[in-house]
Amino acid sequence: MEAETEQNRGALVTRLTTQKDWDLIVIGGGATGLGIALEAVSRGYSALLVEQADFAKGTSSRSTKLVHGGVRYLAQGDIQLVREASIERGLLWRNAPHLVKNQTFIIPIYTWWDRLKYTIGLKLYDWIAGRLSLGASVFIPRNKALFKLPNIRSKGLVGGVLYHDGQFDDSRLAINLVQTIIEKGGTALNYMKVTGLIKDNGQHISGVTVKDIETNQSYTCKAKAVVNATGVFVDDILQLDNPTGSKSITASQGVHLVLDKRFYPADDALMIPATSDGRVLFAVPWHGKVVVGTTDTPVKEASLEPQALEKEIAFILENAANYLVEQPKRSDVLSVFAGLRPLAAPQDGKQKTKEISRSHKIMVTPSHLFTILGGKWTTFRKMGEDMVDRIEKELQWPHKETGTRHLSIHGAMANVNLNDPLYFYGSDTTNVKALMNGHANQWLSNSLQIHEAQVIWAVQHEMARTVEDVLSRRTRALLLDARESIRMAEPVAVIMAKELGKDESWIREQVAAYTKLAERYLLV
């Protein structure tokens, strides 16, 4: 069976031969690259985005699932970043209301000094956000804190400070951004790896060579501007431009553990303000589980599949145990996932990764390779706006106003029913349910509420190409319960093979590859 997205991807790949010149080529299909490509097409530019793996395969599917102004940045005195992030949080809440929700957080307070400090600090946080604030912070007394934070350590508890931030599903937002880019006339392709940069006679970059990972077919794509938005891999692209260039990025690893809801059966998220290494630790309800994290560990080598270190796992479990009555053990962890933060390399080499600003930085090489460093999901739209502004300025294009501040993302729908296991499809939910009606009661996982119709939808409408694409990023099975996701791998592969016209050997290869990957998300 020739599926819709097989044709769609084929049509998109065909554009690489039929369209000779692009205004922008964006390398990297994570939060940053998607934000830039969306900004470009919203201004009427022709844009091609290429990603070597799947969209949001790296850092952008491994976040703490927060759209936040950055309480920690406030403590560091970075008022400008808090202001920018707070504005962007409010805009994203309006532009993708099916994926971003107003989440209340509570900081448990054990001393009167902490009560004063956090009450004042969070009032400042509210004030900075202005009219885009998600709600006012308040101090709540001990009895109310104990009611709202079941399982929290009660000894010495004075009360809590409740504040508002955003929570979202990162890889689902990435997929919706891809769909929005394509709907706006842009081209976005996964499994398309940049193998070289093309330069004109004046040694300015004028395009890229790319290879389709699925077919090994190579293409030459010309462009007026090429953007390097590859996150922790930016130096790989910079090396293609200048092999002798110095390192521009440093990577910091953040690890998260996923636990059953019984360890923290609350609707409010928990924010632990001071851990043993001075970071904050979150316990956030997400898709019926609770995500606990994160860490901040410098790493030397960037990887598409970073591995949690034993000391990071122990750190999260120990710090969570200081606050939770029922203390989680290794055997209770349903999944462990790690993501790498791309940070601008410290000039003196002495800064700790947690002290390096999360604000983004744009670099332009003499050959006109545009590179963006740093940043985070919350500010992805602003990063896109800033990059396209910079390109217009550097290349002396007439300036066009941003078109993304109030642009609805694909699927946008207000007042979704969060109790519906398909709520994150937003306006697509009706179509997914219609597809389900043709496959009565074919649930692949009752515990995770994943239906075979979602696999078909992922292939036909969301450019899913592998079992991992479906189980890690189109649904979140890998992150929510790695063991359950392994059990689902074969039925998912069988459904995909039918949709993509693949054979038995493809099914076996996919199941083996996925099982090997998912086992790394288990603590054994």
Side-chain angles (χ1 to χ4, degrees), residues 88-383:
E88 293 303 317
R89 177 192 65 187
L91 293 176
L92 186 55
W93 184 42
R94 294 178 182 182
N95 294 340
H98 62 305
L99 290 177
V100 180
K101 71 166 193 161
N102 182 348
Q103 175 68 58
T104 50
F105 289 73
I106 297 176
I107 303 174
I109 301 297
Y110 292 91
T111 71
W112 290 102
W113 166 243
D114 280 351
R115 172 180 177 171
L116 182 66
K117 179 170 68 174
Y118 292 113
T119 300
I120 293 172
L122 286 162
K123 285 297 180 190
L124 177 59
Y125 193 54
D126 298 343
W127 177 76
I128 289 170
R131 60 187 177 82
L132 287 172
S133 168
L134 300 185
S137 59
V138 292
F139 176 80
I140 58 175
R142 173 186 162 86
N143 60 342
K144 191 170 182 181
L146 286 170
F147 175 76
K148 293 181 81 64
L149 298 175
N151 227 0
I152 197 74
R153 179 169 59 85
S154 60
K155 186 179 179 182
L157 185 72
V158 175
V161 178
L162 181 148
Y163 72 97
H164 297 255
D165 244 328
Q167 193 213 25
F168 79 136
D169 188 315
D170 45 17
S171 73
R172 289 301 314 173
L173 178 57
I175 297 307
N176 286 164
L177 289 171
V178 170
Q179 292 167 313
T180 311
I181 289 163
I182 293 170
E183 287 161 6
K184 291 281 179 187
T187 301
L189 286 163
N190 50 1
Y191 298 103
M192 194 68 69
K193 182 178 175 63
V194 169
T195 54
L197 300 174
I198 303 165
K199 295 185 180 179
D200 61 21
N201 292 336
Q203 290 304 297
H204 288 143
I205 289 172
S206 59
V208 299
T209 53
V210 296
K211 183 172 80 170
D212 188 335
I213 300 298
E214 295 190 353
T215 63
N216 281 327
Q217 175 82 30
S218 291
Y219 301 88
T220 298
C221 307
K222 293 298 198 69
K224 295 170 186 164
V226 173
V227 179
N228 175 13
T230 53
V232 291
F233 300 104
V234 293
D235 284 327
D236 294 351
I237 303 299
L238 286 165
Q239 289 274 313
L240 293 177
D241 178 41
N242 176 14
T244 62
S246 60
K247 191 177 177 187
S248 61
I249 208 88
T250 185
S252 160
Q253 178 163 288
V255 167
H256 300 82
L257 306 183
V258 179
L259 300 169
D260 189 89
K261 199 80 162 62
R262 69 185 168 87
F263 289 97
Y264 183 67
D267 294 327
D268 303 281
L270 171 68
M271 198 267 256
I272 298 169
T275 59
S276 53
D277 79 340
R279 282 185 60 78
V280 298
L281 193 72
F282 292 101
V284 185
W286 189 62
H287 291 315
K289 311 293 184 192
V290 58
V291 177
V292 187
T294 180
T295 57
D296 201 334
T297 310
V299 293
K300 288 181 178 164
E301 292 294 323
S303 162
L304 273 173
E305 278 296 335
Q307 200 69 14
L309 303 175
E310 283 299 323
K311 67 176 184 180
E312 293 177 297
I313 295 162
F315 166 82
I316 294 174
L317 288 173
E318 286 165 11
N319 278 279
N322 288 336
Y323 286 81
L324 301 180
V325 174
E326 185 174 355
Q327 301 180 353
K329 304 182 294 293
R330 285 176 61 91
S331 57
D332 297 313
V333 175
L334 298 171
S335 185
V336 54
F337 64 93
L340 300 181
R341 304 177 190 90
L343 307 173
Q347 300 307 305
D348 59 7
K350 294 176 183 176
Q351 268 181 303
K352 293 179 181 177
T353 51
K354 68 180 180 183
E355 294 168 348
I356 299 173
S357 175
R358 296 294 194 260
S359 58
H360 56 278
K361 175 182 169 188
I362 294 171
M363 291 171 24
V364 186
T365 66
S367 62
H368 290 172
L369 175 63
F370 293 86
T371 296
I372 188 159
L373 312 172
K376 58 200 184 82
W377 251 121
T378 306
T379 55
F380 86 96
R381 190 212 65 83
K382 185 65 166 64
M383 292 160 73

